[in-house]
Amino acid sequence: MSQVSRRRFLKRSLAATAGSYAALSSVAALMPSVLGANDEIRVAVAGIRGRGNGHINHFQSLPGVKVVALCDPDKKVLAERMGQVKEKYGTDVKGDVDIRKILDLKDVDALVIAAPNHWHSLMTIWACQAGKDVYVEKPVSHSIWEGRKMVEAARKYNRIVQAGTQQRSCPATIEAARDIQAGKYGKVLWVHCSKLGARGPIGKVTEPQPVPEHIDYNLWAGPAPMTPVMRKQFHYDWHWQWNWGDGEMANWGVHYLDDLHHILGWKDIPNKVIAAGNRFAWDDNGQTPNMHFALLHYDELPVVIDIRNLPDPERRGGKSGAVYLGSRGGNHIQCEAGYIRISRGGGWFYDNDGKRVHQYKGNGGSGHAQNFIDAMRSRRRQDQAAEIAVGHQSTAICHQANMAWRAGAEASVDEVRENMKSHEDALNTLKDMLEQLDGNSVDLAKEPFVLGPALTYDRASERYVGPNAAKANRYVKCSYRNPFVVPENV
């Protein structure tokens, strides 16, 4: 049997297993990528509707980088994007609905992943096994367990894997991290992390909706269940259904949680969690909470995460709490000498009288993709702004908050208040949420809070331990559908 025929035979025989690329490329993947002519880095992009379309144009604009392949199970979108690349850049790109065929291409050095959340881990692992470097959008995983497998794959195959938390590359957060960790403002006392941004309901259907003919639903679902589609809009609104998405906590909140992780120099994630909220006011097919807050402790440091999607026409997001951060949110980091308020693009340090003292100027992380390309060339993961182990931890905080809420049960406001009373900012956040719910005419007798139990997280095992742990640990790992199984051994 010739070498080429043998390779094809092996690929066919292993195609039904999630570890196929490991069998094919375990040796080759340990070696640095073989770049194209003149050290050109050749990129494939998977998931190319919204964010992925932006990645096509951004990576194509970087010096020495060329987008050579596109992947999307939506045949209509795939054809449109291939045509747009041809028209805009005068170059043909390869395209396929199946990511496995893209990863078989020898002229692809890196995979950029902007597919739905449930695909992030498996695509990353397969790409590492195939000898490709990876840029994976936030949230990097769909569960804590998946994130750990991604780190293991990056290490085993010696790949450069970058999380798409671009604010890691923002000069403002880099400078703030330097100052906080140097003790410039004294000890950090507490933190409020917030994302306040109104959305609308996704609508409600009572019967399964047909999958558009131009979408390969088997390939779109991949590792996730191929359950009937119960939402009006096939694309994007999967964010608010647990089989595929992780809610606003991991959709937008992850950016500011990653900033917090970065600025405070955390080496791991919080070890105490309690969460409350619900999907209030909207009678729709969404499942994730639209008002969600959690009180976490990083050892002794209290942190409140405050994520809201309801509008408030009168107060534009609420303002009675101690740390109202505006309609977009960000981080309030309270130190002994004052506090930092920082969000995408920059912020300020204020003294304890509220006077502006120092500005942190930023750009939102516009150089993040270039940082990934530079690390690909150097082959040094320490050159990365958001190496996958960092992305895993920041995403895992989102999963912690989601798991804590999903483990909960309906509760009265008094019960929520009682469970949050250990920290003044948590009580202020509840008070502010109650005012905002009242502004949306929410009857809490009919739509009560869901309150999760107080949970303890073991950082070594990456699981909750102790009382009520089993309720939350049901969500530490997803179930998978053959042949798209995230492997135990990557």
Side-chain angles (χ1 to χ4, degrees):
M1 184 182 293
S2 72
Q3 186 176 5
V4 173
S5 297
R6 182 176 181 275
R7 188 181 302 120
R8 289 174 178 166
F9 170 79
L10 285 172
K11 288 182 180 180
R12 287 194 299 268
S13 64
L14 293 171
T17 70
S20 60
Y21 289 105
L24 292 168
S25 307
S26 59
V27 176
L30 291 170
M31 303 299 292
S33 297
V34 178
L35 303 182
N38 301 316
D39 286 339
E40 180 178 72
I41 290 181
R42 303 156 300 184
V43 171
V45 183
I48 52 176
R49 289 190 69 255
R51 183 63 174 158
N53 187 37
H55 282 318
I56 294 171
N57 294 302
H58 186 58
F59 277 90
Q60 184 71 32
S61 72
L62 300 179
V65 179
K66 183 178 181 181
V67 175
V68 298
L70 306 177
C71 181
D72 202 290
D74 187 326
K75 303 179 188 71
K76 182 179 179 181
V77 169
L78 181 61
E80 288 177 355
R81 295 290 181 263
M82 293 175 70
Q84 289 166 359
V85 171
K86 174 69 172 178
E87 180 179 356
K88 187 171 183 178
Y89 302 109
T91 182
D92 291 314
V93 291
K94 298 173 183 177
D96 208 286
V97 295
D98 192 332
I99 189 61
R100 292 167 293 188
K101 294 183 180 179
I102 296 296
L103 293 175
D104 279 341
L105 297 173
K106 301 303 179 185
D107 62 345
V108 169
D109 303 304
L111 177 66
V112 176
I113 302 170
N117 301 3
H118 64 276
W119 257 115
H120 288 187
S121 178
L122 189 57
M123 281 191 183
T124 296
I125 292 167
W126 277 355
C128 289
Q129 292 172 342
K132 320 296 185 186
D133 294 325
V134 180
Y135 182 106
V136 56
E137 266 299 342
K138 55 75 192 172
V140 300
S141 65
H142 194 35
S143 70
I144 291 177
W145 181 85
E146 284 186 4
R148 176 53 56 192
K149 296 297 129 180
M150 298 166 80
V151 176
E152 290 174 3
R155 299 292 181 268
K156 181 175 180 178
Y157 300 102
N158 194 26
R159 307 320 306 163
I160 298 296
V161 182
Q162 177 98 312
T165 47
Q166 69 268 24
Q167 288 163 210
R168 278 268 166 175
S169 294
C170 180
T173 52
I174 292 170
E175 184 187 2
R178 183 194 66 207
D179 288 348
I180 288 287
Q181 292 172 43
K184 183 176 180 178
Y185 306 124
K187 181 181 177 181
V188 176
L189 303 176
W190 54 270
V191 177
H192 187 103
C193 179
S194 181
K195 176 62 178 84
L196 312 178
R199 292 187 184 272
I202 66 172
K204 187 168 185 177
V205 299
T206 57
E207 297 180 352
Q209 302 299 292
V211 177
E213 293 183 359
H214 51 85
I215 296 174
D216 187 320
Y217 191 39
N218 177 54
L219 292 175
W220 185 91
M226 274 187 69
T227 52
V229 178
M230 294 297 294
R231 57 184 183 273
K232 284 186 175 182
Q233 179 174 280
F234 183 86
H235 291 300
Y236 195 78
D237 285 346
W238 52 262
H239 276 290
W240 327 120
Q241 296 181 326
W242 291 117
N243 279 342
W244 309 282
D246 301 279
E248 195 74 296
M249 183 66 69
N251 182 53
W252 240 111
V254 66
H255 284 298
Y256 293 137
L257 282 167
D258 184 67
D259 283 350
L260 182 60
H261 189 229
H262 181 191
I263 291 170
L264 298 184
W266 285 354
K267 302 303 181 186
D268 215 308
I269 65 177
N271 57 335
K272 301 284 185 181
V273 185
I274 186 168
N278 210 343
R279 195 171 183 86
F280 294 106
W282 298 343
D283 181 21
D284 66 359
N285 292 116
Q287 299 169 324
T288 63
N290 58 17
M291 300 283 276
H292 185 185
F293 78 112
L295 172 59
L296 304 93
H297 283 82
Y298 188 94
D299 299 324
E300 299 305 314
L301 177 68
V303 177
V304 169
I305 310 172
D306 175 17
I307 306 296
R308 312 187 205 177
N309 279 159
L310 281 183
D312 192 328
E314 294 182 2
R315 297 184 299 115
R316 300 181 62 188
K319 64 183 179 183
S320 66
V323 290
Y324 172 59
L325 297 176
S327 61
R328 290 185 63 79
N331 280 304
H332 176 113
I333 303 169
Q334 182 67 49
C335 304
E336 292 173 311
Y339 55 91
I340 288 178
R341 285 191 178 183
I342 191 166
S343 60
R344 175 167 289 182
W348 286 82
F349 172 73
Y350 301 77
D351 65 21
N352 283 320
D353 293 325
K355 179 182 177 181
R356 285 181 172 182
V357 176
H358 177 72
Q359 184 176 13
Y360 291 98
K361 297 180 180 180
N363 57 20
S366 60
H368 199 57
Q370 183 64 59
N371 172 257
F372 169 61
I373 296 299
D374 292 343
M376 281 187 66
R377 295 191 185 281
S378 73
R379 308 311 303 168
R380 289 163 41 92
R381 68 171 181 262
Q382 59 266 41
D383 292 344
Q384 293 179 255
E387 202 272 331
I388 186 59
V390 166
H392 163 53
Q393 288 185 349
S394 297
T395 300
I397 304 172
C398 302
H399 293 319
Q400 280 185 313
N402 280 338
M403 292 163 67
W405 181 81
R406 296 179 77 181
E410 291 185 354
S412 68
V413 172
D414 285 342
E415 288 173 309
V416 176
R417 186 179 291 113
E418 176 68 19
N419 280 271
M420 299 292 178
K421 69 179 183 180
S422 66
H423 184 41
E424 182 181 0
D425 182 47
L427 291 177
N428 284 332
T429 301
L430 174 61
K431 179 178 182 290
D432 198 59
M433 277 193 171
L434 291 172
E435 293 182 10
Q436 192 170 346
L437 290 171
D438 183 64
N440 281 271
S441 302
V442 172
D443 183 350
L444 290 171
K446 296 179 180 178
E447 298 181 76
F449 275 85
V450 169
L451 172 67
L455 296 166
T456 299
Y457 186 79
D458 178 63
R459 292 159 173 163
S461 65
E462 296 187 300
R463 299 176 66 85
Y464 286 111
V465 295
N468 300 302
K471 295 178 181 179
N473 285 337
R474 289 180 295 174
Y475 309 110
V476 78
K477 178 182 178 182
C478 303
S479 58
Y480 303 105
R481 188 174 62 89
N482 284 322
F484 308 101
V485 177
V486 178
E488 179 71 41
N489 297 311
V490 299

